Amino acid sequence: MTSSARPLLNRRLAGFGTTIFAEMSALALRTGSINLGQGFPDTDGPEEVREAAVRALRDGRGNQYPPGPGIPELRTAIAAHQQRRYGLSVDPDTEVLVTAGATEAIAASLLALLEPGDEVVALEPYYDSYAACVAMAGATRVPVTLRPREGRFHLDLDELRDAVTDRTRLLLVNTPHNPTGTVLTREELAAIAELAVERDLLVVTDEVYEHLVFDDAAHVPLATFPGMRDRTVTISSAGKTFSFTGWKVGWVTGTPELVTAVRSAKQYLTYVSAGPFQYAVAEALALPESYFDDFRAAHRRKRDLLGDGLRSAGFEVYQPRGTYFITTDIASFGEKDAYAFCRALPERCGVVAVPVSVFYDDPEAGRSQVRFAFCKRDDVLHEAVGRLRRLAA
Ligand SMILES: *Cc1c(COP(=O)(O)O)cnc(C)c1O
């Protein structure tokens, strides 16, 4: 212990205590509640992908430091995926970087591309690591608030334009968007792209839910829009797409210049990670189209199961068109404080959710919003819905 009065946690990170997920998951454990707070699946991904990891480990592939940019097999598989799905050509040797999950990709991108004093425009509510990483880079975040209208969250393009100043260096975009479940439309993305080109901004885009889009929504990478390929760092990850969130295999694609910059930061964070899992994810990315179709269909069903349950329990539900989260509003119960509601929910009905209010800079904006994850087994969702109905009684 230091005897000085100076706080141990530095000023940049002051205010970033424990994440809400740690708090709410501990609450779930303590109360024996169903945890729909943290977004991790309760069923592992495909058996053949698990077996591929075991095989790599047994065959001695990846047990020692893999190459800095990632193993060639995985970089090639990532490039093939971008080409096949989106028509994006990326060179596996110079335009792909494997990271320790999307989390490291986000951190490395922001640490590499930002100077202290730069402004970052990001959509709020934020994924929780964004604000901390912008702070670690010494930059300033400028929120543009997604607001609910007609049952879904919308981006106000005028607000977005107004948020950009002469100090703005970078737009940080996330689509499909966690926690709101919004999938930015082609028109919204085109407007973001035009703004980035007009104001000469870099764009970091977090697309980890690219394979979880429902109904008539389609995921379109920002990098495919005119003028965007040269200024966009695209981030994705195996965790959500293949239900192996513990493996922490993510990646960055972009021009050689952008990837080299991100790698400069990344090499001093973890250097490399997840050797044997990189081999397995290379095989996962080459799974037949039916895997991705079934994955999407299963989650659409789960969305509807939980969404219908939440509606009948009395929540206002913002219908997600992507991700595996449902954001609700508790004003329909005559309640206003999502945090207090979430702390009391285990006692009231044995379910844990997270208050979306903690993901806003503007505490009023999300004050009565609560997020539920539906990436859980059907029997768990049925049980949760049964418990939540007690709120309606
Ligand atoms: C889960 C998640 C991440 C982190 O992905 P990892 O690959 O587990 O590091 C990043 N961004 C969003 C929006 C997420 O929901």
Side-chain angles (χ1 to χ4, degrees):
M1 254 334 256
T2 165
S3 58
S4 91
R6 187 176 135 180
L8 288 174
L9 186 61
N10 70 48
R11 213 180 302 136
R12 290 187 304 286
L13 285 175
F16 296 101
T18 13
T19 77
I20 189 69
F21 304 110
E23 182 185 343
M24 290 298 158
S25 291
L27 184 63
L29 214 57
R30 206 162 59 238
T31 57
S33 295
I34 297 177
N35 189 355
L36 303 185
Q38 202 168 5
F40 61 89
D42 58 1
T43 309
D44 287 347
E47 185 57 32
E48 64 262 46
V49 177
R50 265 204 301 191
E51 283 305 317
V54 171
R55 230 183 308 117
L57 203 140
R58 282 222 183 89
D59 296 349
R61 287 176 293 139
N63 291 329
Q64 308 303 329
Y65 295 134
I71 62 162
E73 290 86 341
L74 178 53
R75 284 185 278 118
T76 302
I78 292 163
H81 173 273
Q82 297 305 88
Q83 180 70 57
R84 189 170 68 240
R85 300 204 76 85
Y86 308 121
L88 266 173
S89 300
V90 295
D91 179 343
D93 291 328
T94 57
E95 298 188 312
V96 180
L97 173 67
V98 176
T99 57
T103 305
E104 189 195 33
I106 293 159
S109 300
L110 297 177
L111 289 170
L113 300 172
L114 294 171
E115 292 287 357
D118 282 345
E119 289 179 357
V120 175
V121 171
L123 312 179
E124 75 169 3
Y126 305 110
Y127 178 65
D128 71 337
S129 83
Y130 295 174
C133 288
V134 170
M136 283 193 268
T140 303
R141 62 182 188 271
V142 176
V144 174
T145 306
L146 297 174
R147 295 182 200 281
R149 176 161 42 82
E150 289 154 7
R152 84 168 187 96
F153 284 81
H154 293 264
L155 171 64
D156 184 321
L157 294 170
D158 290 328
E159 270 185 52
L160 177 67
R161 280 183 210 104
D162 290 347
V164 173
T165 74
D166 293 342
R167 286 185 301 280
T168 310
R169 172 67 167 159
L170 189 150
L171 303 178
L172 177 53
V173 179
N174 169 216
T175 184
H177 184 263
N178 172 9
T180 66
T182 277
V183 179
L184 295 177
T185 63
R186 192 175 275 282
E187 292 68 35
E188 287 167 333
L189 291 164
I192 293 172
E194 271 170 39
L195 180 65
V197 171
E198 180 193 318
R199 304 297 297 262
D200 195 19
L201 305 173
L202 296 173
V203 175
V204 173
T205 168
D206 176 347
E207 306 185 353
V208 301
Y209 295 101
E210 60 186 315
H211 289 286
L212 280 171
V213 291
F214 314 119
D215 311 329
D216 57 349
H219 173 69
V220 189
L222 258 173
T224 60
F225 286 80
M228 292 304 281
R229 201 185 177 291
D230 291 348
R231 61 179 72 248
T232 303
V233 173
T234 303
I235 293 172
S236 194
S237 149
K240 309 293 161 54
T241 297
F242 300 109
S243 301
F244 289 115
T245 58
W247 289 8
K248 299 298 285 191
V249 177
W251 51 87
V252 163
T253 55
T255 61
E257 293 75 16
L258 286 167
V259 164
T260 300
V262 176
R263 197 169 128 205
S264 301
K266 183 260 184 307
Q267 65 189 337
Y268 298 116
L269 295 174
T270 57
Y271 178 45
V272 291
S273 58
F277 298 127
Q278 293 193 25
Y279 288 91
V281 172
E283 293 194 24
L285 283 165
L287 284 171
E289 212 41 46
S290 59
Y291 167 75
F292 299 92
D293 291 344
D294 294 349
F295 179 68
R296 203 166 25 243
H299 283 83
R300 179 170 27 76
R301 219 172 19 74
K302 290 175 189 296
R303 174 197 67 176
D304 292 343
L305 200 170
L306 182 62
D308 291 347
L310 287 166
R311 272 184 215 97
S312 62
F315 289 86
E316 180 178 354
V317 171
Y318 300 117
Q319 177 82 334
R321 298 200 311 155
T323 77
Y324 42 48
F325 302 108
I326 295 180
T327 292
T328 63
D329 202 294
I330 55 168
S332 49
F333 293 106
E335 305 213 23
K336 283 198 191 72
D337 184 342
Y339 211 133
F341 182 88
C342 288
R343 269 194 301 244
L345 200 57
E347 285 300 321
R348 290 174 73 181
C349 67
V351 173
V352 161
V354 293
V356 177
S357 44
V358 302
F359 306 129
Y360 287 89
D361 281 336
D362 173 0
E364 282 310 310
R367 198 171 172 76
S368 56
Q369 292 169 6
V370 173
R371 189 194 82 173
F372 294 84
F374 58 82
C375 48
K376 307 293 175 183
R377 294 194 317 268
D378 287 2
D379 59 311
V380 172
L381 293 174
H382 279 295
E383 173 65 24
V385 163
R387 293 183 184 193
L388 287 162
R389 284 222 178 87
R390 287 182 213 156
L391 296 172

